[in-house]
């Protein structure tokens, strides 16, 4: 894991956006793994600005989203397809036929999960996967107890996740308790993973992910196994790490190395 600790949420979003922008500049046909939730919104806003400025193009890119609520159509305001259209796809030069979100309204969700895996494989796999982290350590909708080799599947949401997401639903609005999500095994196959976390309410999960043991109780700890996982967090989210100075020192040395290699 590469641990990047920055001052605030704005810096975290900018760092993440620069990784995705660099990927698109290097490989315009990139396959991007995308995420929903409050944390990625600022990153998407920065990518929209870069696209409008002509710095990057999504015209040849393909995207796969992590998850979707089971039981919601793509037109439902609380669906993740709707979220992605509103927060990114409607504002950049992407071909929406190349944007994939698990079908929440699938007639046969089990078959839909297998088809989603096949589409990712047919696209050549995900080049860069964006992740957030839940307070209980979930990534995607892979809740605690999820298998570390799991594939795209139907998953029951924990009470903690339902409670956290309740703020997005009106008091009398139906809130799904089931989802379709990429599995942890699917996520780990991405060539690069970028996880963003901000705020003190994520500090326990960040600590468990980085410094805790590899365990199903904290699904995000599986990223310890990934060969190129970049964890970008603000100081508040990093506040419960045992040795902040150590991680900051390592990252500073890494930046020096990257600057030196750029001159060769």
């Amino acid at each position: 894991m590469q641990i990047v600790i920055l001052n605030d949420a704005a810096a975290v979003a900018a760092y993440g956006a620069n990784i995705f922008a660099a990927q698109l500049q290097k490989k315009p046909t990139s396959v991007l793994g995308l995420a929903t939730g409050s944390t990625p919104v600022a990153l998407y806003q920065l990518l929209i600005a870069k696209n409008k400025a002509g710095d990057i193009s999504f015209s040849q890119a393909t995207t796969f989203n992590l998850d979707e609520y089971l039981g919601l159509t793509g037109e439902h305001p609380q669906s993740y397809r709707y979220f992605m259209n509103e927060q990114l796809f409607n504002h950049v030069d992407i071909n929406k036929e190349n944007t994939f979100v698990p079908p929440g309204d699938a007639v046969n969700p089990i078959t839909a999960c297998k088809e989603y895996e096949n589409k990712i494989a047919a696209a050549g796999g995900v080049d860069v996967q964006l992740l957030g982290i839940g307070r209980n350590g979930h990534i995607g909708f892979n809740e605690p107890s999820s298998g570390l080799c799991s594939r795209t599947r139907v998953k029951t949401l924990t009470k903690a996740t339902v409670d956290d997401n309740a703020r997005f639903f009106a008091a009398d609005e139906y809130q799904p308790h089931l989802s379709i999500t990429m599995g942890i095994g699917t996520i780990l196959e991405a060539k690069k993973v970028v996880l963003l976390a901000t705020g003190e309410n994520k500090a326990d999960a960040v600590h468990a992910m980085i410094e805790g043991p590899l365990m199903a109780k904290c699904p995000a700890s599986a990223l310890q196994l990934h060969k190129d996982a970049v964890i970008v967090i603000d100081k508040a989210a990093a506040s419960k790490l045992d040795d902040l100075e150590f991680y900051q020192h390592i990252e500073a040395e890494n930046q020096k190395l990257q600057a030196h290699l750029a001159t060769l």
Side-chain angles (χ1 to χ4, degrees):
M1 284 183 174
Q2 177 186 354
I3 314 300
V4 181
I5 301 172
L6 302 171
N7 286 333
D8 52 33
V12 168
Y15 194 101
N18 286 340
I19 291 175
F20 277 81
Q23 176 66 33
L24 285 169
Q25 290 166 346
K26 178 179 68 175
K27 182 184 176 184
T29 59
S30 290
V31 178
L32 306 178
L34 302 179
T36 55
S38 55
T39 304
V41 170
L43 180 149
Y44 293 149
Q45 290 173 344
L46 292 170
L47 291 180
I48 291 168
K50 291 177 183 292
N51 178 247
K52 291 187 180 303
D55 297 330
I56 59 173
S57 173
F58 289 85
S59 62
Q60 300 179 64
T62 300
T63 68
F64 288 91
N65 262 75
L66 281 168
D67 44 26
E68 177 61 282
Y69 286 116
L70 190 60
L72 299 187
T73 68
E75 291 75 33
H76 192 288
Q78 301 304 338
S79 75
Y80 286 166
R81 161 57 74 179
Y82 188 92
F83 175 98
M84 291 306 306
N85 287 343
E86 291 294 305
Q87 298 297 334
L88 182 63
F89 299 150
N90 288 346
H91 310 288
V92 296
D93 61 340
I94 198 163
N95 181 352
K96 283 189 183 176
E97 291 184 358
N98 294 330
T99 66
F100 299 96
V101 179
D105 58 349
V107 175
N108 188 329
I110 304 303
T111 299
C113 291
K114 294 178 181 178
E115 292 174 347
Y116 203 68
E117 286 279 336
N118 291 339
K119 287 178 181 177
I120 294 172
V126 174
D127 290 304
V128 184
Q129 176 66 59
L130 179 64
L131 297 174
I133 184 171
R135 288 190 302 120
N136 61 5
H138 74 245
I139 49 177
F141 273 139
N142 294 286
E143 301 282 23
S145 81
S146 292
L148 301 184
C149 296
S150 55
R151 313 303 301 185
T152 301
R153 67 209 188 286
V154 175
K155 189 68 178 172
T156 301
L157 306 181
T158 63
K159 184 178 185 301
T161 297
V162 171
D163 289 346
D164 282 348
N165 290 349
R167 68 187 188 277
F168 300 117
F169 293 82
D172 59 347
E173 188 175 14
Y174 168 69
Q175 181 179 357
H177 288 214
L178 293 173
S179 69
I180 295 179
T181 183
M182 282 189 198
I184 295 175
T186 312
I187 291 169
L188 291 179
E189 288 180 354
K191 299 175 183 69
K192 187 184 190 73
V193 172
V194 180
L195 184 146
L196 309 183
T198 61
E200 191 174 354
N201 65 324
K202 299 295 179 71
D204 285 325
V206 166
H207 175 264
M209 169 179 61
I210 295 173
E211 296 181 333
L214 176 65
M215 58 180 179
K217 186 177 180 181
C218 178
S221 67
L223 298 181
Q224 296 174 18
L225 300 173
H226 200 281
K227 63 181 180 180
D228 190 6
V230 184
I231 312 301
V232 190
I233 53 181
D234 65 3
K235 289 182 177 179
S239 61
K240 293 191 177 180
L241 294 176
D242 292 336
D243 195 345
L244 282 175
E245 291 185 1
F246 169 76
Y247 296 112
Q248 291 170 327
H249 170 73
I250 292 297
E251 176 58 18
E253 291 302 310
N254 179 63
Q255 293 298 326
K256 290 179 183 178
L257 175 60
Q258 294 303 318
H260 173 68
L261 293 176
T263 65
L264 298 180

